[in-house]
Amino acid sequence: AVPCPLRGRAGGMDLAYVCEWEKKPKSNHCPSIPLVCAWSCRNLIAFTTDLRNEEEKDLTHMVHIIDTEHPWDVYSVNSGHTEVITCLEWDQSGSRLLSADADGHIKCWSMTDHLANSWENTVGSMVEGDPVVALSWLHNGVKLALHVEKSGASNFGEKFSRVKFSPSLTLFGGKPMEGWIAVTISGLVTVSLLKPNGQVLTATESLCRLRCRVALADVAFTGGGNIVVATSDGSSTSPVQFYKVCVSVVNEKCKIDTEILPSLFMRCTTDPARKDKYPAITHLKFLARDMSEQVLLCASNQNNSIVECWSLRKEGLPVNNIFQQISPVVGDKQPMILKWRILSATNDLDRVSAVALPKLPISLTNTDLKVANDTKFFPGLGLALAFHDGSVHIVHRLSLQMMAVFYGSSSQRPVDEPALKRPRTAGPLVHFKAMQLSWTSLALAGVDSHGKLSMLRISPSMGHVLDMNMSLRHLLFLLEYCMVTGYDWWDILLHVQPSMVQNLVEKLHEEYMRQNAALQQVLSTRIVAMKASLCKLSSSTIARVCDYHAKLFLIAISCTLKSLLRPHFLNTPDKSPGDRLTEICSKITDVDIDKVMINLKTEEFVLEMTTLQSLQQLIQWVGDFVLYLLASLPNQGSPVRPGHSFLRDGASLGMFRELMVVIRIWGLLKPSCLPVYTATSDTQDSMSLLFRLLTKLWLCCREENHITEPDDALIDECCLLPSQLLIPNIDWLPINDGIISKLQNKQLVRLQFGKAPGLIGHTVSSQFDAFVRAPGQPKIDHLRRLHLGAYPTEECKSCTRCGCVTMLKSPNKVTAVKQWEQRWIKNCLCGGLWRRMPLSYS
């Protein structure tokens, strides 16, 4: 038992936004029964409705997919399922979705062209005419544990340790095999394996010799690579059965072996006081996909429910004395058996309509639980129960005690009078039919009986008031978890107040700097993207968003251009040309570009002319940006201008310096690839002038420990730049049209599917206008640096996270540019998902 008296706190949950369907006269979206929804680790939510057409009286089963940042931009697809959809499941990478229906058909959906608002069904499997009641992807063997006790440790590996866990099935070399497992109503288990060549191997087997009806089922995985299936026939007088399922591949065929495990009867049926009170089992769930030894059960009648939590334990079996005398060996060592024991149970509750389980793999050792309770860190420890009166309770996953409560619009706040006297309100109440917790348990999405989607915030401390330092530590711990796993961190941003942004960014950077060099390199772009999305939330840091995106762009350009350099002799043992360039540029601190150039082997820089010409737009950006930075040095006192943080960032200035050298050499080969400057005199060598000033600035902040101020001579020279060269306009990223910045004042935002909201109560945008193009002005492709004109004719895609825009189809044929474009085919440079934009985006 868990020693923590938890009381449900009303401050723990509040509504962030709701999104509903437009009422149309002819065809309407009505919630399907049963209604299902699923939330992926990339913060995509899938849910189902039935499209009812008044004239033809028929139903179309629809699947809708939204990203939580733009919930109105819903992608609705006619699923092609003939019967109602019973299950939706995302895979571990969060980019593929399984749907299964009441006719035994299972479909696997994936993104078309890596666009989050365009999906297609690629493969599938079926058990003809046999409704699917449970569905899961096979486990890929990756399991982390979050140790709350170690949240102060410096090493990420200690905070988030990798748990030894075997995949359900491995290919040659231990690579996990992909596939899914489903349980049908007639007691069959079916497994489909996806072979690397695109083939699907399917096998079906009955769970046990005596096949019986399965009304509810769930699937979990054990560390040894086995699968556990729990089933119930829906009646609380029958036992809940458990089976072990082993999947193997023999001679290119999939083979399934099943074995019976100990079963259990719910305690409410054996309790004389409640014997026939709850006739039906309505919910059966393992507490987590990778925790097969803990199960949650809910039994209900018309008006009430009771919830129980059971766990599987190894116990010794006492042996009768007679046998102990015959064989002393038996007496010494008790035989062990597995047995289900009840952990906790609730009192009689209102009728439960939906259950949502935490996906955060929090470690449940006694010390971790104690630290979590002392510091009031509850994500991953609570599960959500929705009731027919519209309220939602969060209860502790072990003790089932109430932690937080949310009262829906129709549920009455509890009064002191007993429940019996409270009059039942006429008509059906609005309540959640399906709910899902986000991957960090800081948000809860529910779809109600009207098909409306609600997004609830759940405070990490469940409404306990904490000091600022502690709240920051909680959010930081979860941000680091997202950084390590690569999951999307949108749900954490829901809890960031503008006053926290500066501190969070600094602390995140400190923690990052404490990791080893290899890990820092792996996470280098992810942390920049994370800082950018944090800075968006406060008006004082909004200019830094532009800087972080420019930095991501610079890192990508630097890697791409360096990778084009080839060693002159193929078998040279020393460093690659890119590394040697970096070394020479940092060693030779000369301000004259030609003196630095002499030290390089120019034959390594020889490229085809067409390649050089095709890189001109990227080269132009580097040239423009260097000029913009140097020209803004004299008024560096204003941190509200974009570019400010680069003036003290030695590493980035060093990268610009290397790129200037490379561009100078390429300019000798093909002058037309050089950046174009508009200069006041014809004789001036703009490149070497900028290189000289850039080097001086770089020398000021080369070493992080002692950064010196630029001297007056340098500032004077930079003051003269606008009279020598035309300072270009830098196209910063567009203002983000997402929802997150509109949710900060804790006001409920009401949205409609298919209709983008106006800029409601947006405080930040006014300051941003200085950096962003007005609506009628020409648009730009932010990644190819091409101008698209004021009213683009090409189809574009934009990033769900940073709003960066680029063309869908590549206009280029040259391999070097293809190599640049490969960097962001799947994701934006910031790691966000792409979504197709309507052609009228101007």
Side-chain angles (χ1 to χ4, degrees), residues 16-28:
Y17 64 74
V18 295
C19 201
E20 46 199 324
W21 296 100
E22 194 181 359
K23 292 273 178 285
K24 290 192 182 142
K26 288 284 183 284
S27 62
N28 269 322

Side-chain angles (χ1 to χ4, degrees), residues 70 86 106 260 301 443 597 814:
H70 307 89
T86 54
I106 300 172
I260 297 181
N301 58 25
M597 211 166 74
V814 187

Side-chain angles (χ1 to χ4, degrees), residues 178-200:
E178 298 190 313
W180 56 83
I181 174 171
V183 181
T184 70
I185 207 160
S186 71
L188 291 177
V189 57
T190 173
V191 174
S192 296
L193 304 175
L194 296 175
K195 289 186 65 179
N197 60 8
Q199 260 183 307
V200 181

Side-chain angles (χ1 to χ4, degrees), residues 316-325 327 330-335:
L317 200 63
V319 180
N320 194 303
N321 286 341
I322 299 174
F323 294 108
Q324 287 185 12
Q325 288 154 9
S327 152
V330 178
D332 298 342
K333 207 165 114 210
Q334 283 191 336

Side-chain angles (χ1 to χ4, degrees), residues 301-514:
N301 58 25
Q302 289 295 303
N303 303 323
N304 300 91
S305 292
I306 190 163
V307 177
E308 297 178 2
C309 182
W310 289 72
S311 97
L312 189 63
R313 307 255 174 95
K314 267 192 175 158
E315 294 184 1
L317 200 63
V319 180
N320 194 303
N321 286 341
I322 299 174
F323 294 108
Q324 287 185 12
Q325 288 154 9
I326 301 171
S327 152
V329 184
V330 178
D332 298 342
K333 207 165 114 210
Q334 283 191 336
M336 300 297 277
I337 58 159
L338 286 171
K339 197 161 186 189
W340 285 99
R341 289 277 180 212
I342 188 159
L343 266 184
S344 51
T346 61
N347 296 328
D348 301 352
L349 307 165
D350 209 79
R351 186 165 169 199
V352 173
S353 62
V355 178
L357 296 171
K359 303 185 185 72
L360 194 70
I362 199 144
S363 157
L364 295 174
T365 61
N366 288 339
T367 42
D368 281 316
L369 285 171
K370 187 179 180 313
V371 173
N373 195 42
D374 294 345
T375 56
K376 302 282 177 275
F377 178 83
F378 297 124
L381 288 176
L383 56 98
L385 303 172
F387 296 98
H388 273 261
D389 66 356
S391 63
V392 178
H393 291 182
I394 292 194
V395 297
H396 196 287
R397 63 190 281 177
L398 298 175
S399 64
L400 295 181
Q401 285 172 318
M402 180 114 87
M403 296 166 84
V405 58
F406 167 78
Y407 300 107
S409 48
S410 55
S411 62
Q412 296 146 320
R413 304 246 182 304
V415 222
D416 291 337
E417 60 191 283
L420 298 172
K421 284 190 193 158
R422 208 186 306 165
R424 291 253 159 212
T425 40
L429 296 168
V430 181
H431 57 266
F432 290 132
K433 312 259 308 216
M435 280 192 314
Q436 283 272 316
L437 282 163
S438 75
W439 283 67
T440 59
S441 290
L442 292 186
L444 175 76
V447 186
D448 66 23
S449 41
H450 289 175
K452 181 172 75 181
L453 179 100
S454 305
M455 179 65 66
L456 283 84
R457 263 191 209 91
I458 304 176
S459 115
S461 65
M462 295 292 170
H464 287 272
V465 182
L466 299 178
D467 61 341
M468 194 60 157
N469 212 354
M470 209 65 202
S471 316
L472 283 175
R473 248 185 70 184
H474 289 351
L475 294 177
L476 189 69
F477 189 49
L478 292 169
L479 281 169
E480 290 166 0
Y481 170 67
C482 288
M483 189 152 67
V484 170
T485 52
Y487 294 161
D488 187 69
W489 51 83
W490 178 88
D491 34 328
I492 305 176
L493 300 181
L494 280 176
H495 298 270
V496 176
Q497 299 300 319
S499 55
M500 299 177 175
V501 170
Q502 188 74 34
N503 276 341
L504 267 178
V505 171
E506 283 167 16
K507 288 207 163 93
L508 198 62
H509 186 74
E510 273 169 35
E511 290 293 328
Y512 168 77
M513 294 311 287
R514 289 162 76 178

Side-chain angles (χ1 to χ4, degrees), residues 169 191 193 203 205 245-250 253-257:
L169 194 62
V191 174
L193 304 175
E205 191 62 60
V245 177
C246 299
V247 184
S248 50
V249 176
V250 184
K253 283 203 171 63
C254 177
K255 181 166 173 286
I256 302 174
D257 295 301

Side-chain angles (χ1 to χ4, degrees), residues 751-806:
L751 305 164
Q752 210 173 46
F753 287 120
K755 270 196 188 159
L759 283 172
I760 25 177
H762 205 290
T763 46
V764 176
S765 60
S766 52
Q767 301 174 332
F768 223 159
D769 291 341
F771 324 133
V772 183
R773 297 193 159 204
Q777 280 189 314
K779 298 288 180 294
I780 184 164
D781 179 325
H782 292 103
L783 296 180
R784 293 189 180 89
R785 292 284 145 189
L786 296 173
H787 292 274
L788 303 173
Y791 300 100
T793 50
E794 282 293 312
E795 262 206 300
C796 291
K797 55 185 182 180
S798 81
C799 167
T800 53
R801 195 182 276 165
C802 69
C804 172
V805 175
T806 185

